[in-house]
Amino acid sequence: MNFYALIPAAGSGSRMGGTIEKQYLDLNAVPMIAHAMMVLARAPRITRIFVVLSPTDRRWNNYAWQGWEDRIEVLRCGGETRAETVLNSLDAIAKICTPDDWVLVHDAARPCLPDEMLAKLLDEVADDPVGGLLAVPVADTLKRAAADPASGARVEATVPRAGLWQAQTPQMFRHGKLTEALRAAGADMTDEASAIEQLGLQPRLVESDSRNLKVTYPQDLELAGMILRKLYE
Ligand code: CTP
Ligand code: MG
């Protein structure tokens, strides 16, 4: 049984608001995607890392990526949505994976995954029949906004947070089951676990923390820089 990592990096980063796809934004002197690659490459159990780019990506080749040749394989089969990107790449690697091999899908936009968190996910899920994901119990009080407020956003209700977790990545599932789940679920799933849940399965939640944030808005990039300095100081 092997562990493969898949880094979807075919998004445009529209919520960052800039012209450079966010996976290539400079973060502590390297493109953001390199941080996700480094954490996965340091994990001894992971045999290979697939980086999934858009077929129209023009930036990857601007970097030398020296020393990475043996650890990563670049797939240029990104799709219109994240789910399509992941499904296309599962199909692309089907000839080298067995259905029982694990695939860890990890966002290019999560640069601050601590090594010990990745190890914890592998430890807790490697023997699980379904698979699982890193996630954080919700800490804030949650408000639902009224659908059509007369003036600005207004609270319609407070949503009880008990039992609610925020999903992160990596999310790890077996190649065969994940392929089946994503093919059945369609293109709109925002994470792998949702597709697996639609098969009636219950992915394992492995408790993580807020350091493993996803860089979505410009202010997240600055925060990620601070977390990385703290992690590796
Ligand atoms: N992703 C992908 N293919 C897509 C869309 C997203 O591979 N069609 C990847 C992104 O590159 C990112 C991860 O999925 O690494 C998480 O997605 P998200 O944070 O939503 O990134 P973007 O879609 O690029 O950003 P936005 O939604 O703001 O446009
Ligand atoms: Mg997106």
Side-chain angles (χ1 to χ4, degrees), residues 7-17 21-23 52-54 78-86 106-110 169 190 214-217:
I7 306 181
S12 61
S14 56
R15 286 170 288 178
M16 288 296 290
E21 299 83 355
K22 67 181 170 187
Q23 53 274 25
V52 195
L53 307 178
S54 158
E80 289 295 311
T81 66
R82 185 179 180 285
E84 270 181 34
T85 297
V86 174
H106 183 52
D107 294 328
R110 287 190 196 271
T169 69
T190 54
K214 181 159 71 74
V215 175
T216 304
Y217 299 103

Side-chain angles (χ1 to χ4, degrees), residues 12-72:
S12 61
S14 56
R15 286 170 288 178
M16 288 296 290
T19 52
I20 299 179
E21 299 83 355
K22 67 181 170 187
Q23 53 274 25
Y24 294 115
L25 290 174
D26 181 275
L27 180 55
N28 296 9
V30 293
M32 176 155 59
I33 188 174
H35 293 282
M37 290 163 54
M38 287 187 278
V39 177
L40 293 162
R42 277 198 298 270
R45 281 174 278 187
I46 294 177
T47 44
R48 195 144 187 86
I49 301 166
F50 299 96
V51 172
V52 195
L53 307 178
S54 158
T56 60
D57 183 291
R58 294 286 173 272
R59 272 183 230 279
W60 175 265
N61 289 339
N62 292 345
Y63 301 91
W65 303 117
Q66 264 149 1
W68 283 99
E69 300 83 350
D70 294 341
R71 290 306 300 274
I72 60 166

Side-chain angles (χ1 to χ4, degrees), residues 9 26 35 44 67 118 126 135 141 183 194-195 197 202 212 216:
D26 181 275
H35 293 282
L118 174 58
T141 300
R183 219 182 295 290
S194 325
E197 292 154 38
Q202 296 189 320
N212 185 25
T216 304

Side-chain angles (χ1 to χ4, degrees), residues 88-118:
N88 290 350
S89 38
L90 291 173
D91 285 338
I93 66 175
K95 47 193 178 302
I96 66 158
C97 293
T98 71
D100 282 342
D101 281 338
W102 287 109
V103 178
L104 283 83
V105 182
H106 183 52
D107 294 328
R110 287 190 196 271
C112 310
L113 170 65
D115 295 295
E116 68 274 15
M117 212 65 91
L118 174 58

Side-chain angles (χ1 to χ4, degrees), residues 137-146 154-165:
V138 170
D140 292 328
T141 300
L142 298 175
K143 304 292 184 190
R144 175 176 291 120
R154 286 191 177 273
V155 175
E156 182 185 83
T158 297
V159 181
R161 68 168 176 243
L164 291 183
W165 296 56

